[in-house]
Amino acid sequence: MHFTQSYLTLPATFYKEILPTPVAEPQLIIWNESVAEELGFSDTPTNYTKFLAGNETFESSQPIAQAYAGHQFANFTMLGDGRAILLGELKAKNDSTYDIQLKGSGRTPFSRGGDGRAALGPMLREYIISEAMHHLGIPTTRSLAVIYSGEGIQRETVKPGAVLTRIAKSHIRVGTFQYAAQFGSIEELRALADYTIEHLFIPENEKPYESLLQEVIQRQATLIAQWQLIGFVHGVMNTDNMALSGETIDYGPCAFLDNYDPATVFSSIDQQGRYAYGNQPGIAGWNLARFAESLLPLLSDNQEQAVERAQAILDSYPKLFEQAYNEGLCRKFGLTQTTENTKLASDFLQLMQTHKADYTDTFRALTLQDYSHDFFGHTEVQSWLERFEQSMGTRTSQHQHMMEASNPVIIPRNHLVQQALDEAETGSMEKVITLLEHLEKPYTYSPAQLDFDQRPPETGRDFVTYCGT
Ligand code: AMP
Ligand code: MG
């Protein structure tokens, strides 16, 4: 394995060199064959256990913890990798370079009061959901492995500890820029911006920092549109959890919609519903404004002019989001995007909300033209179906393909993920493995995929997630 650590070329204020803290009895619990292959982990998986547990360091690796700040539920705080350590970067077969990070690998100078550790349940949860997102076609960090540490960690009760190996294009966050802007010099801020431009392949031109802002906005607009279209609720969209690469990052209290309702919140710590499903596009806009603010000193020496430039670029966000979302929404109905089709689509969402219809299941039924569910029996849904049939005309294989490619048969249902994790905590990985197999082919309309039990029981619809640490 040949690790590089390009982050070390940045000013020292952006990281602390630190080694992971060894764990008692590391045991490989799950290994991602395809990610491993892509990254060149070609030995027997267990040969990597000690390295990915943090008990030994790869020869070429120079581990660091990254510094960052962030707005957590709108409050600005100094943060940093408190329980994560970046081992370095590896060049993958596709020629791209990826960060290899351990999460749960012990205390760092940024740990504040925390123990630097992570529990097995939440790390497996991140593994399952990040892989599901990847197969759903949504940009995301990925997961290479989970190692059980052989140690108990103190949470509300004692929990089994674990270390996750996370793979990302980059771990630079909005919060990394906020840290630079708040605590660094303008040279340091510029160094970070230049590094990011180079590292994230921002097209070069004579206004590099404006391009950086525009590109990050574009990537977030597309990403959040994809979240909305699939019914994903991130749960903790703090600015430190927004990656500039445009990858979904930090799977804490995230969950998927069952019934369609924009007010849906799963996270126990989100009492105000700040990060509710329907608020996500607006919150992303708010976070992007914080990013733009941190770039101001680079946009112009003249404060007023800098603000004007940033604002002009920020103003493109709502339109970019709408465009990506409306186009994707119409595709879910097998339709191309027009004002009329968008209206038809949003009327359908309204009906789903009124009748508490299951988001994934209802689109799947529409794709299969299976109108046996109660929802389709309502008079106003029937008249909507007539309008839909008129808009589409004869359903061709092209319509059908478009719908199948946009409406998953399978998502990581909250109750299924929970059952699998509960079982994993008792020592059996069977349910996790089976679930992951199904999640690999979310758009395959085969009998095996369709039969895989999906809908939560009515009593399972009040799912709550806890910010698992
Ligand atoms: P998160 O909620 O995972 O995005 O984490 C927010 C911040 O808290 C980050 O700076 C983390 O590194 C830090 N943090 C979370 N859990 C722990 C822990 N167990 N020990 C130390 N720091 C932690
Ligand atoms: Mg975080």
Side-chain angles (χ1 to χ4, degrees), residues 416-428:
L416 294 183
V417 174
Q418 199 52 54
Q419 281 167 17
L421 296 181
D422 290 346
E423 210 190 73
E425 278 201 21
T426 70
S428 163

Side-chain angles (χ1 to χ4, degrees), residues 1-5 39-40 58-61 88-91:
M1 315 266 24
H2 181 69
F3 281 86
T4 51
Q5 187 65 282
L39 291 169
F58 289 102
E59 207 182 302
S60 53
S61 160
E89 303 133 318
L90 287 175
K91 196 165 191 158

Side-chain angles (χ1 to χ4, degrees), residues 9 45 49 64 91 93 99 122 153 191 193 215 232 236 240 275 284 293 305-306 312 328 341 364 419-420 446 459:
T9 62
T49 304
I64 58 166
K91 196 165 191 158
K93 290 204 170 132
D99 278 3
I153 60 169
E215 180 71 21
F232 175 74
V236 58
D240 56 299
Y275 298 140
E293 272 168 14
Q305 203 171 53
N341 288 341
R364 169 175 136 158
Q419 281 167 17
S446 67
T459 49

Side-chain angles (χ1 to χ4, degrees), residues 363-370 395 400 403-404 445 450:
F363 275 108
R364 169 175 136 158
L366 208 58
T367 306
L368 292 164
Q369 292 181 272
D370 167 10
R395 191 183 285 209
Q400 192 60 31
M403 291 182 81
E404 287 182 15
Y445 278 69
L450 288 161

Side-chain angles (χ1 to χ4, degrees), residues 72 79-80 82-83 111-112 114-117 155 240-241 250:
Q72 298 196 305
L79 297 161
R83 55 160 171 171
S111 295
R112 296 170 289 162
D115 61 1
R117 292 301 186 191
R155 294 297 180 259
D240 56 299
N241 292 339
D250 251 349

